[in-house]
Amino acid sequence: MYQYKWLWLTIVAISFFANSHASVLNEGSSQVELKVVEITASNFDQEIIRSAQPVVLMIYGDWCCCCSRFKPIFQSIAQEYGDVRFAIINYDAQYDLVSLYQPAYVPTFVFIYRGFVINQTDDIESREDLEAHILTLTEQAH
């Protein structure tokens, strides 16, 4: 009985923590538009294939340490480029869509314009590398 009481208290504490942070995130989202879109089967066509903007797609895995390290950098860069759409897609959850790009490693970055792959690489090691690829993509789009 004693163990269940601690389990219940832990669940209550986690729920409280999650709810209190959710309200902070909601308050912040009204001020800052989140620019990174999570791609699923339901929005793939609209967000990637039919996008009039150039798209930078990051293929990631939840289990990937490099992906976890690079995801905040990707989100930060997304806030700086208003004329480029940024999207992420989970390797495991959306494997049917990911397999269209046949990534050898994760993270893989796919640079797309009007539904066509302009470039694809898994060799981005820094913010500067990613920004250089984005610059090339935007130059080709204009």
Side-chain angles (χ1 to χ4, degrees):
M1 185 70 170
Y2 181 72
Q3 293 172 335
Y4 294 115
K5 183 177 181 181
W6 280 108
L7 178 62
W8 181 81
L9 287 172
T10 303
I11 291 170
V12 169
I14 290 171
S15 297
F16 174 76
F17 181 76
N19 288 335
S20 65
H21 283 324
S23 64
V24 170
L25 288 175
N26 289 336
E27 289 171 13
S29 66
S30 64
Q31 296 171 359
V32 177
E33 178 186 342
L34 297 178
K35 294 252 320 174
V36 179
V37 178
E38 178 82 31
I39 299 301
T40 63
S42 63
N43 68 356
F44 176 77
D45 189 54
Q46 177 185 351
E47 297 290 339
I48 302 298
I49 302 300
R50 295 181 186 213
S51 175
Q53 294 177 297
V55 178
V56 179
L57 177 64
M58 178 181 170
I59 301 171
Y60 75 97
D62 290 330
W63 40 266
C64 169
C65 295
C66 292
C67 300
S68 298
R69 181 180 57 83
F70 213 89
K71 214 171 176 183
I73 296 169
F74 188 76
Q75 292 170 335
S76 172
I77 290 174
Q79 298 299 323
E80 298 172 17
Y81 290 85
D83 57 340
V84 177
R85 180 167 295 180
F86 289 82
I88 56 174
I89 188 166
N90 187 298
Y91 182 88
D92 297 311
Q94 303 297 328
Y95 185 75
D96 290 343
L97 296 175
V98 169
S99 65
L100 296 172
Y101 300 106
Q102 301 177 345
Y105 302 100
V106 290
T108 292
F109 297 88
V110 186
F111 302 88
I112 304 165
Y113 183 59
R114 298 195 179 191
F116 294 100
V117 174
I118 303 301
N119 191 9
Q120 179 172 331
T121 184
D122 55 30
D123 191 31
I124 292 181
E125 297 181 5
S126 68
R127 178 185 186 97
E128 292 75 22
D129 289 347
L130 181 57
E131 288 178 330
H133 279 83
I134 293 169
L135 183 61
T136 301
L137 174 66
T138 57
E139 287 173 352
Q140 291 182 2
H142 296 302

